Amino acid sequence: MSEPLITLEIEKLVAGGLGLARDDSGVVLVRGALPGERVTVTLRTGKGVRQGRVQEVLRRSPDRVDGPSLPTADLAHAAYDAQLVYKRSFVEEALTRIGKLRHDVADTVPSPEAWHYRNTAQYLITPQGLGYRERRSSDAQVVLDDPLVMARITEVVQKLDPLRLDPATEVAFRASRRTGEVVAALIGAGEPKVYLRASDHLMDAGVVGVSLAVPAGRRFSAGVQLIAGESEIQEDFGDVQLGISATGFAQVNPPAAALAYRSAAALAGTGDHAVDLYGGTGAIGRHLAPHFRRVTVLDTDPEALARGRRDLASAPLKNLKFRQGDAALLGEIGAAGIWRPRP
C-alpha cells in the first residue's frame, strides 16, 4: 500500500528542522520543507502528530539551496544565513512554549565554518561502506564524502575497506585541528584480540590510536579499552588545550566552542567562587579561573573529570578543582571545595 500524497502550505519551521503545516485533519510536520513553500508530501502512518517528507516543491522559498540529504543535517536545504535565523526562532519558541518566558534572544552567532567543521563522526559499517543510520530505521545511508566532518576524517575513511573492519558494527572517529591527528574507536562485542586485524587496518589508514567500545544502551557506557596507539589527541578550545578521545564528550566544533567559552567568561565577570556545572573536562572552568579566586568543575562522569585533571597537569591552576557530583541535586560547595548534595 503506497503512502498518501497531499499538498500543503508550510507556515514555519520547528525544532528538528520540520516544517509545520495544517490541513482539515490538523497539524502535519514535514521534513525537507521551508516556511512559505507549497509542497507535495508523502505521509508516514503512525500514532501522534502526522509526519511527512517533501516529494516535490511547487513554490520554492528564496532560502532554499541544493544541500546534501543526510539524516544528520536537518537544515542543509536552507542557506546558511537563513539557518541562523531559524535557529534563533527555535530558541525563542522553546523559551515561550516550554519555559513560559518572554525574553529577547540575540542573533545566532555563526560558526567560523559552515561545512567540514565537525571533529567527530560515528558511522555504521556496511559492506557498501560507512554511513549514517537513517531516521526511524536501522538502515544506513552510505557517505563517501561527508560534508559535515573535518577533511582529515574523510581522508581516513576513504582509505578503508569496510570488510576489513569485521566484526565491528560501528566505528567512531575524532580529529584534531591542532595536530591533524585522528583517533578511532571500533564498536562491537567481544574481546580486543578479535579486533586486531581491524585495528591494524585503521592504523594503516592513518589513525594514531584505536580503542574498542562494547555496544550499550547509553553511548559508550559499557567501557572502552585501548587496542593500539594513543587513546587521546590534543585540541585547542579557546584559551586552553584539552585531551580528546573518540569516545569521550567534547564540543564537535572547536572554533565555535572557543567563541562560546570566551563569551561565557566575559559574562561571568569576576568574583570569589565560580562553579562550572556539567563541566566535563573543565574547558569553561579553565576560562573562568583567571577571574575568580576559586573555581569548581562539577560533573558526574569520572572519565571526563580524570581527563580534565590530566590536562591541568600540563598547565597547573591552583585555584581550580574537579569534583564528581550531580548538578541536578546541587546543594552547595563548601569552603573546602567539597560538594554536598541537597537533602
Side-chain angles (χ1 to χ4, degrees), residues 53-181:
R53 179 178 291 276
V54 169
Q55 294 301 306
E56 184 180 2
V57 179
L58 304 176
R59 184 176 66 243
R60 183 184 177 100
S61 166
D63 294 333
R64 179 172 286 278
V65 296
D66 295 327
S69 178
L70 291 175
T72 51
D74 293 330
L75 295 175
H77 56 295
Y80 188 63
D81 287 346
Q83 292 183 32
L84 301 178
V85 176
Y86 296 145
K87 290 174 182 178
R88 179 189 180 195
S89 70
F90 297 161
V91 176
E92 290 175 330
E93 182 174 17
L95 286 174
T96 56
R97 182 174 59 83
I98 301 173
K100 310 302 180 186
L101 299 172
R102 293 195 175 276
H103 196 283
D104 291 339
V105 175
D107 292 340
T108 307
V109 177
S111 168
E113 297 177 13
W115 296 103
H116 298 290
Y117 61 87
R118 289 182 64 93
N119 66 0
T120 186
Q122 182 173 329
Y123 298 116
L124 288 173
I125 301 171
T126 77
Q128 294 73 37
L130 306 186
Y132 288 114
R133 193 184 306 275
E134 293 280 14
R135 296 183 181 93
R136 303 179 181 275
S137 170
S138 59
D139 296 335
Q141 179 180 331
V142 173
V143 182
L144 299 177
D145 186 4
D146 191 337
L148 299 176
V149 302
M150 289 171 51
R152 189 69 188 93
I153 293 177
T154 299
E155 291 171 7
V156 170
V157 168
Q158 291 179 343
K159 295 176 183 178
L160 296 175
D161 175 357
L163 298 180
R164 296 178 65 183
L165 298 178
D166 184 73
T169 56
E170 297 180 68
V171 59
F173 298 97
R174 178 82 70 172
S176 167
R177 291 174 180 272
R178 177 184 178 87
T179 67
E181 295 172 315

Side-chain angles (χ1 to χ4, degrees), residues 183-300:
V183 286
L186 294 162
I187 301 168
E191 296 297 319
K193 63 183 180 181
V194 304
Y195 293 92
L196 293 177
R197 176 174 176 266
S199 174
D200 288 345
H201 185 45
L202 283 164
M203 296 290 281
D204 289 342
V207 307
V208 299
V210 181
S211 299
L212 173 65
V214 177
R218 186 167 62 84
R219 191 170 184 256
F220 304 132
S221 61
V224 180
Q225 300 178 72
L226 181 65
I227 301 176
E230 304 296 328
S231 62
E232 295 182 7
I233 50 182
Q234 295 295 308
E235 182 61 287
D236 292 325
F237 290 89
D239 300 330
V240 302
Q241 182 179 323
L242 301 175
I244 54 176
S245 69
T247 57
F249 174 79
Q251 293 294 330
V252 302
N253 187 338
L259 297 175
Y261 295 158
R262 288 170 176 149
S263 295
L267 288 169
T270 60
D272 180 67
H273 189 190
V275 182
D276 180 5
L277 302 179
Y278 308 98
T281 56
I284 293 178
R286 287 176 62 178
H287 280 79
L288 297 172
H291 311 293
F292 286 82
R293 190 174 67 85
R294 292 186 297 133
V295 176
T296 302
V297 176
L298 185 69
D299 202 282
T300 59

